[in-house]
Each structure stands twice: as structure tokens, then as C-alpha cells.
Amino acid sequence: MKKLIFLLLLIPLVSFGQTDFRKMSWGDSVEDLKKTYPEATFQKYNQDGIYMLMQEGMLIGINVYIAYAFSENELVGGVYLIEPEGYKDSKDRLRDFYKISERLNEKYTMEREDEWIRTNYKDRPNDLDFAISIGDVILTEKVDVEDTYIVHTLSDEAHNLMYRSAKWLEILQQEQSDDF
């Protein structure tokens, strides 16, 4: 799980607007989260200066882990880690992706930018689930709204939906520039 969280921190992001994540606003504190969800039990992770609190939950009827990311005790992002228990078959995973995508597009105009690693199945839409399962494609849609960047991805390894504030993007860009 820690590796997955670390990988999520490295995924390139796009900005798009939303002012909050699950009844929380950017800049809210850990204490604000615990007041908003007093009965929730959180798992705690600390990775590269980002403190994450994670809980199990539901997203439009799909089991997920919900992670809240804090920097200097300020909410900077949120992530839905979809299919946390067990592994669904590729058709169910693709169905979940489209179900979430439909909801996102009701609220935002998501921009689709799939990445084809191998194009063997690119022109075969009935085989898209198989192409995902063997790592040939990563489905991605994103939007930038005000100071929020939202990215929804499905790959052979993960299905997630990330909300990132402008501050988190700055932190990630600084970390990447420090690498060189």
C-alpha cells in the first residue's frame, strides 16, 4: 500500500477546479478532518513530507480507500484508491472507470488523454479491457478547475481518482526539481 501511495505522488498531474474534497476545503487541518468525520478510523502514512490519513469507504457504490493528503497540517489533496479489496476482472474494472467517468463528466468537462504503450489493440474497442489488463494502455481523464487538478486513471496496476490543490502541485514540482 505504501508503494502505491508513493507512486501516486509521482504521477504527473493536471490542474482543474474544485474547491474541496469530500466536505473538506484546501487548507483545512487534520483536526478539521476528524471533526468532519468523527466516527471514521484512519490509517496513517507519512511519505516525503506528505502526511496521509486513509479510510475505507464507498464511491458511487464502489468500495474504495479514501486518502486525505496534508502538508504542514493543511489539506492539499485527496485520492480515491479504487478496488482496494481483491482484484476485479478487466471488464468490471473498465465498467467502474466508465461509471465514475460519467459522474465526473456530469459535473466537469473531463479531457481524455489515454496513453498507448503498445498499439496492437488501439483500433479494437471491444478489446479495450484486455489491452488495459496486459498494460498496453493507461486510460486518463483530467480537468483543471480553479485551484484544483483532478485526474482519473485506470491501468493494469491501479484505478484511482486524485484531487490535488495548487499547493500540492508546487510541492511535487519542487521535489522533482530537487532530484537533479
Side-chain angles (χ1 to χ4, degrees):
M1 182 58 67
K2 287 182 182 179
K3 278 186 173 182
L4 180 59
I5 292 170
F6 179 72
L7 289 174
L8 290 175
L9 296 174
L10 298 178
I11 295 174
L13 300 177
V14 178
S15 299
F16 97 161
Q18 175 168 322
T19 58
D20 58 11
F21 177 74
R22 296 186 58 89
K23 302 180 187 174
M24 300 287 294
S25 296
W26 302 139
D28 284 352
S29 68
V30 170
E31 294 76 24
D32 294 328
L33 174 64
K34 291 179 179 179
K35 286 178 190 172
T36 303
Y37 298 100
E39 296 166 9
T41 302
F42 295 101
Q43 299 171 16
K44 300 170 186 169
Y45 300 92
N46 196 352
Q47 186 90 34
D48 297 328
I50 299 292
Y51 180 67
M52 298 194 69
L53 293 173
M54 188 174 345
Q55 70 181 85
E56 292 182 38
M58 297 289 283
L59 176 65
I60 62 171
I62 301 168
N63 290 326
V64 297
Y65 281 121
I66 304 161
Y68 301 85
F70 294 87
S71 175
E72 299 175 2
N73 199 33
E74 292 183 5
L75 182 68
V76 295
V79 181
Y80 292 102
L81 304 170
I82 300 145
E83 67 191 58
E85 297 173 12
Y87 186 82
K88 294 181 176 183
D89 73 26
S90 58
K91 288 184 191 290
D92 288 338
R93 295 176 76 231
L94 184 58
R95 191 175 302 117
D96 287 349
F97 179 86
Y98 284 135
K99 187 175 175 182
I100 292 168
S101 177
E102 182 179 338
R103 275 295 177 86
L104 287 170
N105 279 286
E106 287 173 4
K107 192 169 185 177
Y108 311 103
T109 302
M110 303 294 289
E111 181 181 334
R112 186 80 177 260
E113 293 182 10
D114 299 341
E115 178 184 354
W116 284 89
I117 290 84
R118 287 179 296 281
T119 59
N120 298 349
Y121 296 96
K122 188 172 184 176
D123 297 322
R124 295 169 58 182
N126 292 336
D127 294 324
L128 183 58
D129 62 308
F130 181 70
I132 294 164
S133 72
I134 61 173
D136 280 5
V137 63
I138 300 169
L139 304 185
T140 303
E141 57 183 356
K142 50 192 168 185
V143 67
D144 188 358
V145 180
E146 298 173 13
D147 67 343
T148 302
Y149 176 74
I150 301 170
V151 181
H152 180 212
T153 60
L154 175 62
S155 70
D156 62 326
E157 296 179 355
H159 181 190
N160 50 62
L161 174 58
M162 294 181 277
Y163 291 71
R164 295 193 181 170
S165 68
K167 183 174 181 175
W168 196 2
L169 289 173
E170 290 173 19
I171 291 167
L172 292 173
Q173 289 170 348
Q174 182 61 46
E175 286 177 1
Q176 290 174 355
S177 70
D178 289 347
D179 287 345
F180 296 97

